[in-house]
Amino acid sequence: MDLANFSYKTENDALVIKLSGHIDGSNAKSIETAVFSALAESSAKQVTIDCEGLRYISSAGLRVLLRLRKTAGKINVINTSPEVYDIFEMTGFAEMMNVSKAMRVISVDGCRLIGSGANGRVYRIDPETIVKVYNDTETLDAIKRETALARRAFVLGIPTAIPYDVVRIKSGGYGSVFELLNAASFADLLSSGEKTVKEIAEMSVDLLKTIHGTVVEPGSIPDMKSVALGWATNLEGYLPEDQHKKLIELIAAIPDSDHMLHGDFHIKNIMFQDGESLLIDMDSLCAGHPVFEFAGMFNAYRAHPELDRPVSGSFLGISPLTSAELWNRILHLYLDGAGEETVKAVEEKAMIVGYTHLMRSCIRKGGLETEKGRAMVDSCRRHLAELLPKVDTLTF
Ligand SMILES: Nc1ncnc2c1ncn2[C@@H]1O[C@H](COP(=O)(O)OP(=O)(O)O)[C@@H](O)[C@H]1O
Ligand SMILES: [Mg+2]
């Protein structure tokens, strides 16, 4: 059937029905016929109603959706304009169906670039807000995930920028909008000499204790142990069999924990504003034992600067020597007066998990095809061969 306000297609196992213009008593009947014939023809498992071009829907139109829901089961309604979203909300349909708003479109032309990291570039869009524009490789799901995790941390009282919405960028791709922190990163404070390594270590440990002392609802954020088990499992065939087996046993034996971890805790992801330290970059937020946090920090402060010197030297903005000193001070402070031997033992546990992650991610990114990647994998393998026999638990 050829109708101006209706079209459909099948996309990833979903029947996507596009509605546009005005839908009211004058055309609801013919749209209903078209919708049900599309449904009868389709073998899709889900129905999505795309409202991008829809300006108005009356009760007659909503009744079509009700009948569709009875036949098709759960339906998703996407891309609603603010006006159409209000109609869904006022009628209670927003609770019955999974209704989501259209994304705002914003332009970053002429906006000041205020930072960049591995996943994207950050622009100031007005005096209160920034947008993080993601590299093409980030999927919309991953972007929404980061915003959702940031929101979860925010409501649990973790000091961080308010996450607003996910937007479309006019020149292409997606971004997420956050509160602008009028702040310098810990990396800036160190490289400008405003703070000493000792001060930054103390501030880092205060923040680490806040994060690690925060209890999350089980299952509400990713479980780091399962993630790490995934890395280790994927190293099968790349490590000698006995080492691989021991690595998996060690990770599996780490007790489950519902305490929060940041997952990418380093001086570029911590900002300092009005005397307060604030975390950003929340996409790796998870729950688990602190050994996993320390593994990530070991990689940022020690392994990358050593294995990847030219890149990470400029990445953190401090010399490998300074980042090694920072790491060492953080470990001592966190472990609160523990002796050298204990500190060394904790470092070795963090190294095992850290090199496991590094090796896995290097192989996954095709590292074995480049000379630099092979050198990195070899180095991880050597470290693991040396460390694994020394350790009988990864907890502390
Ligand atoms: N809310 C914010 N306010 C001010 N600056 C920010 C904010 N978020 C990020 N930045 C700046 O942008 C940089 C990159 O952001 P980040 O979220 O860490 O991206 P990536 O995931 O690519 O590492 C940060 O190091 C910081 O300098
Ligand atoms: Mg970052």
Side-chain angles (χ1 to χ4, degrees):
M1 185 175 301
D2 193 17
L3 266 176
N5 313 48
F6 167 90
S7 65
Y8 71 96
K9 61 180 174 185
T10 304
E11 208 175 70
N12 306 330
D13 257 4
L15 172 67
V16 181
I17 295 173
K18 268 188 174 246
L19 299 179
S20 58
H22 280 241
I23 297 184
D24 55 26
S26 73
N27 55 8
K29 202 77 218 133
S30 40
I31 286 184
E32 175 162 1
T33 311
V35 164
F36 277 88
S37 89
L39 186 67
E41 237 174 66
S42 158
S43 57
K45 296 191 179 66
Q46 264 193 55
V47 177
T48 299
I49 307 290
D50 185 343
C51 297
E52 190 180 352
L54 187 66
R55 294 288 142 253
Y56 174 77
I57 185 162
S58 76
S59 58
L62 289 176
R63 280 195 297 274
V64 175
L65 297 187
L66 269 187
R67 287 191 281 274
L68 177 63
R69 179 169 165 265
K70 264 199 182 146
T71 313
K74 184 174 156 261
I75 57 182
N76 295 313
V77 180
I78 61 167
N79 283 331
T80 56
S81 67
E83 294 76 22
V84 170
Y85 186 85
D86 279 350
I87 300 175
F88 277 101
E89 186 144 66
M90 282 184 304
T91 52
F93 272 56
E95 284 151 44
M96 233 160 22
M97 300 170 185
N98 190 12
V99 182
S100 58
K101 292 184 196 172
M103 262 184 256
R104 274 199 296 152
V105 180
I106 65 169
S107 164
V108 291
D109 292 349
C111 292
R112 190 156 65 88
L113 179 72
I114 59 167
S116 62
N119 300 319
R121 294 153 72 80
V122 172
Y123 296 88
R124 177 186 178 283
I125 40 179
D126 62 44
E128 274 88 40
T129 41
I130 58 116
V131 62
K132 176 168 172 180
V133 178
Y134 292 84
N135 303 334
D136 303 343
T137 46
E138 294 293 316
T139 63
L140 186 55
D141 278 346
I143 296 168
K144 287 186 173 163
R145 214 185 109 237
E146 173 168 4
T147 308
L149 287 171
R151 194 160 285 143
R152 203 149 287 159
F154 186 77
V155 297
L156 283 170
I158 297 295
T160 182
I162 304 173
Y164 296 116
D165 50 349
V166 176
V167 294
R168 276 220 311 256
I169 305 299
K170 201 159 173 217
S171 51
Y174 298 100
S176 48
V177 177
F178 287 91
E179 169 188 16
L180 170 77
L181 302 175
N182 234 327
S185 68
F186 276 18
D188 297 333
L189 295 176
L190 263 181
S191 49
S192 69
E194 238 172 285
K195 296 271 178 202
T196 63
V197 177
K198 180 168 174 279
E199 287 167 327
I200 291 293
E202 286 164 0
M203 289 152 68
S204 299
V205 170
D206 282 346
L207 189 56
L208 277 173
K209 298 254 174 176
T210 304
I211 305 167
H212 297 175
T214 301
V215 174
V216 299
E217 212 177 293
S220 65
I221 60 177
D223 170 42
M224 193 58 213
K225 182 170 138 180
S226 331
V227 175
L229 269 175
W231 300 333
T233 307
N234 278 306
L235 288 181
E236 185 175 4
Y238 297 103
L239 289 175
E241 216 170 292
D242 57 325
Q243 287 175 27
H244 184 247
K245 183 163 168 277
K246 179 158 184 187
L247 181 62
I248 292 197
E249 282 167 4
L250 284 172
I251 297 176
I254 297 175
D256 292 322
S257 165
D258 50 10
H259 286 251
M260 189 185 279
L261 306 173
H262 179 265
D264 194 14
F265 191 92
H266 60 69
I267 50 173
K268 277 191 78 178
N269 284 338
I270 316 167
M271 310 291 281
F272 190 64
Q273 174 178 268
D274 303 328
E276 191 185 19
S277 307
L278 298 131
L279 273 174
I280 56 166
D281 208 356
M282 311 293 266
D283 63 327
S284 42
L285 198 78
C286 53
H289 189 280
V291 70
F292 296 115
E293 192 87 272
F294 281 96
M297 290 163 66
F298 175 81
N299 284 353
Y301 293 142
R302 296 299 315 273
H304 278 297
E306 178 191 322
L307 298 172
D308 211 12
R309 197 170 293 233
V311 181
S312 64
S314 63
F315 180 73
L316 289 179
I318 55 175
S319 72
L321 214 62
T322 308
S323 68
E325 184 194 341
L326 179 61
W327 161 247
N328 199 31
R329 282 186 183 273
I330 289 177
L331 263 184
H332 280 86
L333 278 171
Y334 190 94
L335 297 170
D336 205 12
E340 276 314 314
E341 219 166 284
T342 309
V343 173
K344 178 112 189 67
V346 171
E347 179 177 47
E348 286 176 350
K349 295 168 203 274
M351 288 167 79
I352 290 180
V353 181
Y355 283 119
T356 301
H357 185 193
L358 210 55
M359 185 167 169
R360 166 62 193 149
S361 91
C362 189
I363 292 173
R364 189 175 56 85
K365 290 181 195 147
L368 290 174
E369 268 112 69
T370 67
E371 199 173 311
K372 194 168 149 229
R374 280 192 297 273
M376 189 177 260
V377 169
D378 271 345
S379 166
C380 293
R381 211 183 260 132
R382 274 198 308 277
H383 282 290
L384 287 172
E386 188 204 318
L387 291 163
L388 281 166
K390 290 207 228 169
V391 164
D392 51 27
T393 166
L394 291 176
T395 58
F396 54 86

